[in-house]
Amino acid sequence: MAQKLNKAEREQAVNDLAQSGWSVVDGRDAIQKQFKFKSFVRAFGWMSSVAIVAEKMNHHPEWSNVYSTVNVVLTTHDADGLSELDIKLARKMDTLAQ
Amino acid sequence: MAQKLNKAEREQAVNDLAQSGWSVVDGRDAIQKQFKFKSFVRAFGWMSSVAIVAEKMNHHPEWSNVYSTVNVVLTTHDADGLSELDIKLARKMDTLAQ
């Protein structure tokens, strides 16, 4: 099972991810980012790529889609907060959106 | 452009869709339904089918996914409320979830 990040690990990871637009969710030990694409097809294409990665990791996002925008929240329910899995999935999402 | 349903059409459509679990969103001229699946793969597989239909209709849902659950809201922004497109997409979503 994924372990919750300790304070130092969490600070480092959150600071790193802030560079690409991730932020901490108010009132939750979770991170969020809004991804914008040129079209619905681009947005859903990206979601499809992420879905395959997420299933392979057995770690899934909370996400919503309206046309070409996707809002993502990542947290690890089993760890009751952020774990290495969230950081890994966030980075993968950024890479797939490039 | 899709036309907003008139009062009688809207009542008929909303009543019909209520049979399969659709309801009116509080404070919006929109309908909503929660779809539950056996797994993330089933949920995202259904979303992928719907995405293709939605793009073909040029009418897209507002939807969010957490693991095996998908929450959908349908409305027609151009018509400032429910149109025939929403009713058609709702029925298609039900069919694809069977």
Side-chain angles (χ1 to χ4, degrees):
Chain A
M1 191 193 290
Q3 287 214 322
K4 192 169 169 169
L5 297 177
N6 68 34
K7 200 177 165 184
E9 291 166 339
R10 188 183 183 287
E11 194 173 317
Q12 178 70 53
V14 165
N15 285 345
D16 286 352
L17 286 170
Q19 306 300 316
S20 63
W22 291 88
S23 62
V24 171
V25 180
D26 273 352
R28 288 184 69 185
D29 191 7
I31 52 173
Q32 65 190 353
K33 182 175 174 179
Q34 182 172 83
F35 290 84
K36 292 196 174 230
F37 300 89
K38 288 185 182 169
S39 64
F40 175 74
V41 168
R42 297 272 182 168
F44 200 83
W46 174 78
M47 289 177 77
S48 301
S49 306
V50 171
I52 293 168
V53 169
E55 181 64 18
K56 199 169 168 186
M57 289 173 68
N58 193 27
H59 187 60
H60 304 84
E62 300 174 19
W63 50 1
S64 61
N65 160 242
V66 179
Y67 198 60
S68 58
T69 299
V70 185
N71 284 299
V72 177
V73 172
L74 300 179
T75 190
T76 304
H77 297 102
D78 288 348
D80 197 27
L82 286 177
S83 77
E84 187 55 45
L85 288 175
D86 300 304
I87 310 310
K88 192 175 163 189
L89 185 54
R91 290 193 180 122
K92 193 72 190 172
M93 284 180 163
D94 282 342
T95 302
L96 289 169
Q98 276 162 8
Chain B
M1 191 193 287
Q3 287 216 319
K4 192 169 169 170
L5 297 177
N6 68 34
K7 200 177 165 185
E9 290 167 339
R10 187 183 184 287
E11 192 174 319
Q12 179 71 53
V14 165
N15 285 345
D16 286 352
L17 286 170
Q19 306 300 315
S20 63
W22 291 88
S23 62
V24 172
V25 180
D26 274 351
R28 288 184 69 185
D29 191 8
I31 52 174
Q32 64 190 354
K33 182 175 174 180
Q34 182 171 84
F35 290 85
K36 293 197 173 228
F37 299 89
K38 288 185 182 169
S39 63
F40 174 74
V41 169
R42 297 272 182 169
F44 201 83
W46 174 80
M47 289 178 77
S48 301
S49 306
V50 171
I52 293 169
V53 170
E55 181 64 17
K56 198 169 168 186
M57 289 174 68
N58 194 26
H59 188 59
H60 304 85
E62 299 173 21
W63 50 1
S64 61
N65 160 243
V66 179
Y67 198 59
S68 58
T69 299
V70 185
N71 284 299
V72 177
V73 171
L74 299 179
T75 190
T76 303
H77 296 102
D78 288 347
D80 197 28
L82 286 177
S83 77
E84 187 55 44
L85 289 175
D86 300 304
I87 310 311
K88 192 175 161 189
L89 185 53
R91 289 193 180 122
K92 193 71 190 173
M93 284 181 161
D94 283 343
T95 302
L96 288 169
Q98 274 162 12

